[in-house]
């Protein structure tokens, strides 16, 4: 999947979400990657890549990840799916972002259904 601008905060956000999802079964790693994902959300919100309301939502979503609490793999995936679906519905996304989000959401849902 190619995303329009390789420097886009969306590239980093999707990569961080994927790393978190892949580390979900390792409590220590998932706590670390959850913190990284939270920081990426806050950074993306402040980057100017989204409007003010979308940025506020991303900050609200990012803050709970910063506490490095260990969560179950199913809860991590479900929370990611919920958040990524919201971002997928943002009206203005760079080319390829919506498709990349859909792909990751599908992977997470399949993993939770196993």
């Amino acid at each position: 999947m190619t995303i329009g601008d390789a420097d886009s905060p969306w590239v980093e956000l999707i990569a961080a979400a994927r790393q978190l999802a892949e580390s979900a079964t390792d409590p220590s790693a998932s706590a670390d990657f959850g913190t990284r994902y939270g920081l990426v959300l806050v950074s993306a919100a402040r980057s100017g890549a989204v409007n003010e309301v979308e940025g506020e939502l991303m900050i609200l979503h990012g803050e709970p990840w910063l506490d490095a609490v260990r969560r179950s793999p199913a809860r991590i995936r479900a929370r990611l799916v919920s958040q990524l679906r919201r971002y997928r519905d943002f009206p203005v996304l760079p080319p390829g972002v919506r498709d990349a989000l859909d792909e990751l959401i599908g992977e997470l849902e399949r993993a939770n259904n196993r």
Side-chain angles (χ1 to χ4, degrees):
M1 185 68 44
T2 303
I3 298 175
D5 180 3
D7 293 329
S8 167
W10 291 103
V11 173
E12 190 175 0
L13 186 144
I14 291 167
R18 187 174 298 283
Q19 285 180 318
L20 174 56
E22 290 171 355
S23 73
T25 58
D26 179 343
S28 294
S30 65
D32 289 344
F33 283 115
T35 300
R36 180 176 181 273
Y37 174 70
L39 290 171
V40 168
L41 283 173
V42 171
S43 176
R46 294 186 174 153
S47 71
V50 295
N51 67 38
E52 186 177 342
V53 172
E54 294 166 346
E56 289 175 14
L57 175 67
M58 292 174 88
I59 289 171
L60 286 173
H61 283 175
E63 288 175 346
W65 291 106
L66 299 177
D67 63 14
V69 170
R70 295 177 177 165
R71 297 168 176 90
S72 73
R75 182 173 164 108
I76 289 170
R77 290 184 199 109
R79 192 170 189 186
L80 280 171
V81 165
S82 174
Q83 291 179 352
L84 296 174
R85 278 190 178 140
R86 295 288 301 268
Y87 311 146
R88 188 217 171 278
D89 291 337
F90 286 179
V92 179
L93 292 172
V97 170
R98 191 165 277 112
D99 291 338
L101 289 170
D102 281 340
E103 182 179 311
L104 182 53
I105 289 166
E107 290 172 20
L108 292 167
E109 289 176 331
R110 285 188 295 281
N112 260 359
N113 290 329
R114 286 187 215 147

